[in-house]
Amino acid sequence: MDPDALYQEVIEKYTEHVNPGLARLMSFAGFGVEMRGEGCYIIDHEGRRYLDCLGGYGVFALGHRHPRVIQAVKDQLDEMPLSGKAFFNKNQADLAERLAAIAPEGLQYTFFSNSGTEAVEAALKFAKCATGRSKIVSTIGSYHGKTIGALSTTGREKYRKPFEPLMPGVVHVPYGDLEAAKREIPGAAAVIIETIQGEGGIIEAPEGYISGLRAACDLAGALLIADEVQTGLGRTGKTFGVDWEGVQPDIMTLAKALGGGVMPIGATMGTPAVWEAVFGQNPLLHTSTFGGNGLACAAGLAAIEVIRDENLVERSLTMGAKLKSGLEEVQAKHSELVCGVRGKGLMLGVEFSMDEVGELTIAQMMKRGLCAAYTLNNPRVIRFEPPLIITDEQIAFACSTFDEALAETGELMAELV
C-alpha cells in the first residue's frame, strides 16, 4: 500500500474505532505508523528511522526485537504458548526462582500477571490481606496504573476524578516528605512508593527517603510496596531502584522491561509472611488466566540473562551519565526554555519553563528522527528512557537533535509573541 494511503487509513480507523482525541494528538506531534523495530530504532510507514528515546516508557530496555528474546519466544511457541492451568509450568517456576535470586533479600515468591497495573492491583490486595487493614498511603504525582485500585493510588486528580468513587482509604502525601508520610503510616496496610516518580516528572527520591519509609513501616506494622514497574531491571543504574539505599520491601511490582521488549508480563513479588497470609488457607485466592504463561515467562528468563550477560545494569549507569551530561550542555544553551535535567541511569527527565515548550519540542524532535514524549502527570517534562544498549554515537545524535529542536521551538515561540 502507498505510505500516505496507509497513514490516512490508520488515522481514520483510530478516529472511528479507537480514540479520536488520541488520533488528533499523535498526528499533530508527528507520530507515524510504526512498522518495524530494530535495536534502538523504530521504522515508520515511510521507512524513516527514529532513535527511540521513549523506549516504550521503559519496556524496551534491551532494545527492539533482541534476538535472544525473540528466539526464546519462538522456541516456546513451537511447544506450548499458553498454560493449560491444570498442570505445573516449568517456565513460570524457573522465572520465579530467577527473580528471587536477583531481588532484594526476602522477596522469595512471585505472582505473575500481564501488566504493571495488574501487578499493583495484586500488591494492594496482598497488603490488605496480610495486615487486615485497608488504608493505603501513596504520594502526590505518583503513577501506579489506571485500573480501579491502582488508579486510587495514582497521585493526580485529573485521572481519578471522572471515575470516583474509587477504592476508599487511600491517602496521598507529598513525595519526598518523610514526616508527612510518618503521620499517615500508623494504622495503614501499606505505603506504595516509586523510587523515582516516572510519570510525575522523573522526580528522584531524596537521600534517605526510601529507607526512612522502611523504618516507619516497620514501626507501625505496615508493609512497604516498592513499585518498580518502570525503574526495575537496570533502568536507574541499579538492578532495582530500592538497591540505591539497600532497602528490602515487603512487596515489589515489576513489568515493562521484564518482557524483554517482546512479551507483556507483570510480576508481584513478596515475602514468605505475605504469601502465607494471602495463600496459606486458599492457594487460589488470587489468580490470573494468562499470568505466568509460557511465552511471557520464556521472554522474562531470556531478558534477565541478556541483562546479566551484556552488563546492562552497569551500562545504564555509564551511558546515563553521558546522556545526562549532553542534555545539561543543551540546557545551558537554551536556559530560557529548559530549567532542569534530572534522573538516574537511563531514566532522565528534562523540564521546560512553560507547558507549551514540551509539545512543540517533541514535534520538532520527531521531524528530525528522535522519538520521546512528556510525562503523564507533568507535561513540562520530557523523558529520555532509551534502550540500555544505546551507543555513544546515538547519544550524540539525541543531544544534537534535541538542541536543534529547541532552537526551532524558540524561533516558533518568538513569532507567536
Side-chain angles (χ1 to χ4, degrees), residues 9 22 25 54 72 79 82 98 110 138 149 171 293 300 302 309 386-387 396:
E9 179 183 291
L22 184 62
L25 179 64
L54 173 58
E79 298 295 332
L82 297 179
R98 190 73 189 95
T110 300
S138 188
V171 176
N293 68 77
D309 294 348

Side-chain angles (χ1 to χ4, degrees), residues 58-70:
V59 168
F60 297 106
L62 280 60
H64 294 267
R65 299 174 57 249
H66 193 288
R68 287 176 60 180
V69 183
I70 291 288

Side-chain angles (χ1 to χ4, degrees), residues 32-48:
V33 181
E34 59 186 13
M35 302 298 288
R36 182 177 174 84
E38 193 73 53
C40 291
Y41 293 94
I42 295 173
I43 296 91
D44 75 1
H45 62 288
E46 294 181 319
R48 291 193 64 197

Side-chain angles (χ1 to χ4, degrees), residues 23 32 56 64 130 169-170 178 189 216 218 239 266 302 323 359 364 379 382 394:
H64 294 267
V170 179
L178 183 58
D218 288 341
T239 304
L323 179 56
E359 191 171 354
Q364 296 302 326
I382 282 183
Q394 289 164 343

